[in-house]
Amino acid sequence: MPSSAQAYMADVTDEHGRSAGMALMGAANGLGLVLGPAIAGAFALIGLIWPLYIGALLPVVAFVAVMLVVPKRKAVIHERPPRINPLKRGLRIYLLSGLAISLCIVSLQVVGGFYFQVQLLLTTQETARFVSFGLMICGFSMSATQGVLMKRSKLEPQSQILWGALLLVLSFLIMLFVAKLSMYYVAYFLFGVGAGLMMPGIMTGASFAVTSEQQGGIAGLVGMIQGIAAVVPPLLNTGLYQIDKHLPYGFAVALMIALSFALIRRRALPQKAREAAPAFSDNNS
């Protein structure tokens, strides 16, 4: 579903509206991060099984909405869909950025509860409330950031990713060096803003790096990257956490710093080199 939605958004927007369209999708993701825990918590008061019933109902609602609301578009059939090389210049930086941000998000979800419980000496119930509220703050800040991007952002995709990565570094540094509840909430807020900048930048930049016939393929690649991040990081982070509780977030900081340097280095390339590897052109094949 996310891959299809991204491909459809790329299909119905031009190069001027692409960034706003991808930010709209990101805002929807952030809103889901806010509403998901809230809805689940409300129905859990009726019974622990009720959130699962609601989860089963939501895809049905989505199906009906697509059938009734989303305008149909005539499909363009290609005998041989153009292949995409994920390692080609101008594209790989976005796929690597997508892997990095997905790894950081999963890190916050997988080991966050254990880490904050130990750091703040919380009970299990207190930890559940803290993490739920922190994720809601993260979702609100992510949605608000992408709402601003939809209306007035003039940042190019790589600039969005760079600023987002730096904000993620700051949020993780707070988590590592300040063991205070209020500052952890600040870290969640900064994380949401950073992710809100990075995710649309990644989707927009990847979309611009391929031709119109390759939009479905690039959406699938971005989805594959997110799938990989859902499998590998939980194993990696829990292993690092067993060695030292600070290691998962220290690794995330190192990853975001490395990504920032890669982006800065690419922006510093001579103009001739940039033209040889354009990152934002629909005509780049």
Side-chain angles (χ1 to χ4, degrees):
M1 289 175 65
S3 299
S4 299
Q6 181 182 337
Y8 186 90
M9 183 63 75
D11 195 34
V12 299
T13 55
D14 57 20
E15 60 179 286
H16 301 292
R18 186 78 47 84
S19 181
M22 297 302 178
L24 178 62
M25 290 186 59
N29 289 331
L31 190 60
L33 189 63
V34 175
L35 294 178
I39 293 173
F43 280 94
L45 297 176
I46 303 174
L48 291 179
I49 197 69
W50 273 90
L52 300 181
Y53 289 135
I54 300 302
L57 178 63
L58 287 176
V60 178
V61 175
F63 177 81
V64 174
V66 169
M67 295 298 294
L68 298 180
V69 179
V70 177
K72 295 181 180 179
R73 295 179 63 84
K74 186 177 180 180
V76 178
I77 306 299
H78 300 281
E79 293 184 2
R80 290 186 177 182
R83 293 183 179 181
I84 301 175
N85 179 7
L87 298 179
K88 83 170 188 177
R89 299 183 65 183
L91 175 59
R92 59 193 176 204
I93 187 65
Y94 299 112
L95 297 180
L96 290 173
S97 299
L99 182 61
I101 182 61
S102 297
L103 189 148
C104 289
I105 291 174
V106 173
S107 298
L108 192 64
Q109 294 173 336
V110 171
V111 300
F114 303 113
Y115 179 78
F116 297 128
Q117 184 176 17
V118 172
Q119 288 290 92
L120 299 174
L121 302 177
L122 301 175
T123 65
T124 303
Q125 291 78 10
E126 290 172 338
T127 303
R129 288 197 298 270
F130 163 74
V131 173
S132 296
F133 189 62
L135 289 175
M136 290 181 67
I137 292 175
C138 183
F140 273 122
S141 59
M142 187 185 301
S143 297
T145 301
Q146 290 162 338
V148 172
L149 289 176
M150 285 189 299
K151 294 181 179 179
R152 57 174 65 94
S153 174
K154 295 183 180 179
L155 289 174
E156 62 179 8
Q158 287 191 35
S159 296
Q160 288 180 216
I161 298 171
L162 177 58
W163 284 108
L166 293 176
L167 285 173
L168 258 63
V169 169
L170 180 58
S171 69
F172 281 125
L173 288 177
I174 292 175
M175 295 176 191
L176 285 170
F177 295 107
V178 185
K180 190 174 181 181
L181 181 60
S182 59
M183 292 305 296
Y184 283 152
Y185 285 140
V186 172
Y188 267 109
F189 174 81
L190 293 174
F191 187 97
V193 175
L197 286 170
M198 289 187 70
M199 292 170 64
I202 292 165
M203 291 188 293
T204 304
S207 176
F208 282 168
V210 298
T211 64
S212 58
E213 293 85 3
Q214 296 173 313
Q215 294 302 320
I218 193 61
L221 269 178
V222 173
M224 182 190 71
I225 290 295
Q226 294 171 345
I228 292 173
V231 176
V232 177
L235 299 174
L236 174 64
N237 286 317
T238 51
L240 291 175
Y241 187 86
Q242 288 182 340
I243 298 172
D244 187 280
K245 63 183 179 181
H246 300 99
L247 279 181
Y249 291 158
F251 177 73
V253 169
L255 188 64
M256 286 293 108
I257 290 176
L259 176 61
S260 299
F261 274 113
L263 288 165
I264 292 172
R265 180 177 176 274
R266 193 180 195 285
R267 291 168 64 88
L269 286 174
Q271 184 66 27
K272 186 176 180 180
R274 288 192 185 187
E275 291 174 355
F280 315 118
S281 171
D282 278 330
N283 296 321
N284 180 26
S285 50

